[in-house]
Amino acid sequence: MKKSPFKINPKIILNISVRLAVFFVILSFLFSLFRLYKENRAEERMDSEHVYFDLQQESSPFSSSVEEYTELYAKLCSSSLYDYYECYPQYLEGLPVSQSFFDYETEVLSENCQAALCVQISENLQYSSHLTCDAGRLLNGKDYELAGETVPVLLGYEYRNLFQLGNQFSAVYLYNVYTFEVVGFLEKGAKIYNPAHMIYLDKYIIMPSFNVFTFPENTDGIKIHCANKTSAVLTCRKDDFAYVSGHIKQLIANAGCGNYSVNISPVKYSFMEKTGIRMEWFMAFLSVAALLFALSCIKYMRETLM
């Protein structure tokens, strides 16, 4: 008489499968947190003293007025608990066909370029990024006051053989045509360097994030420009994180300038903002949970299968 093959109760199989599935879900969360932890360590190596808030206007810029954006901008700049740095990549179009520029998408130098790499920055960002010129000068206070249709610009190091100081070219910035005048060339390897923005400037046109005091007509381009000026990087000391975070949220909620996203660096502060839990504590909790659950799974299998 043949012996019947060893059979396992289907309920036991299902129970073990569920336990293993839960265990691997815990592990996947733990591995994701470990990657975030490594990213956080890299960001803190760049700056271990400050928290960075990368503010970005996400709604249609045409839903609010220039005055509303200007009022929000003034309030964002007014606090002594954080520094406000404007840094907004915005390509230039309508460039001279006879002149070569670095393409916005490919970063390749080309004639008849449809859109050129460009970033608009505030004056204080020049100094916090330790920018220096290979020739000419940095942007100064007067360069940040739009007067007429001429905008002073810096050029990255790769432009040094293509332009000379004082050269001008016309281009379209946010639907409006401006004349851009070269006032300086940055040294090789110049960059904007912080956890919120890392931009290598050798191939960039760097224009001032100018203020608009008087303008004959609030065009669509000027309205977008004013919205861009409220999309910036704010930095505060770590001890002031909670207060500054709440202050920014309150300003945005009261301004009525649409929706804003706020990305926070280093990562552990973003995690705390979203969950209310310290990332290190949550990692420790999941590690213990994974270990205890693994032990319970082993014990269950030994008791049911042996």
Side-chain angles (χ1 to χ4, degrees), residues 36-55 82-83 85 193-198 232-242 244-245 248 261-274 279:
L36 288 178
Y37 180 76
K38 289 180 65 177
E39 182 181 344
N40 181 80
R41 290 290 299 273
E43 290 175 342
E44 288 193 316
R45 281 194 293 270
M46 295 172 66
D47 186 344
S48 61
E49 301 295 329
H50 299 89
V51 181
Y52 291 73
F53 298 82
D54 191 0
L55 200 64
Y82 58 79
D83 295 313
Y85 299 104
Y193 184 81
N194 63 54
H197 280 292
M198 175 71 79
V233 177
L234 295 76
T235 68
C236 71
R237 297 191 63 82
K238 291 182 176 181
D239 292 344
D240 297 323
F241 165 69
V244 171
S245 178
I248 293 170
S261 62
V262 183
N263 294 316
I264 302 173
S265 306
V267 172
K268 71 179 183 182
Y269 291 93
S270 177
F271 188 87
M272 188 186 303
E273 178 79 2
K274 293 174 182 177
M279 187 169 66

Side-chain angles (χ1 to χ4, degrees), residues 98-144:
S98 59
Q99 183 66 59
S100 296
F101 294 88
F102 287 96
D103 185 86
Y104 175 76
E105 293 184 347
T106 65
E107 299 191 9
V108 173
L109 184 66
S110 60
E111 290 187 356
N112 196 22
C113 181
Q114 300 301 305
L117 281 167
C118 178
V119 60
Q120 55 194 76
I121 66 174
S122 55
E123 187 175 9
N124 62 347
L125 186 59
Q126 291 184 119
Y127 303 109
S128 68
S129 299
H130 307 291
L131 300 183
T132 55
C133 284
D134 180 70
R137 63 172 178 82
L138 293 175
L139 300 170
N140 60 38
K142 289 185 178 180
D143 297 330
Y144 285 86

Side-chain angles (χ1 to χ4, degrees), residues 214-231:
T214 57
F215 205 81
E217 180 182 0
N218 286 335
T219 64
D220 287 346
I222 290 297
K223 185 172 288 189
I224 297 173
H225 175 80
C226 292
N228 288 353
K229 286 181 69 64
T230 65
S231 298

Side-chain angles (χ1 to χ4, degrees), residues 271-289:
F271 188 87
M272 188 186 303
E273 178 79 2
K274 293 174 182 177
T275 66
I277 306 171
R278 290 178 64 93
M279 187 169 66
E280 299 92 333
W281 294 353
F282 195 53
M283 286 181 64
F285 169 77
L286 280 184
S287 298
V288 173

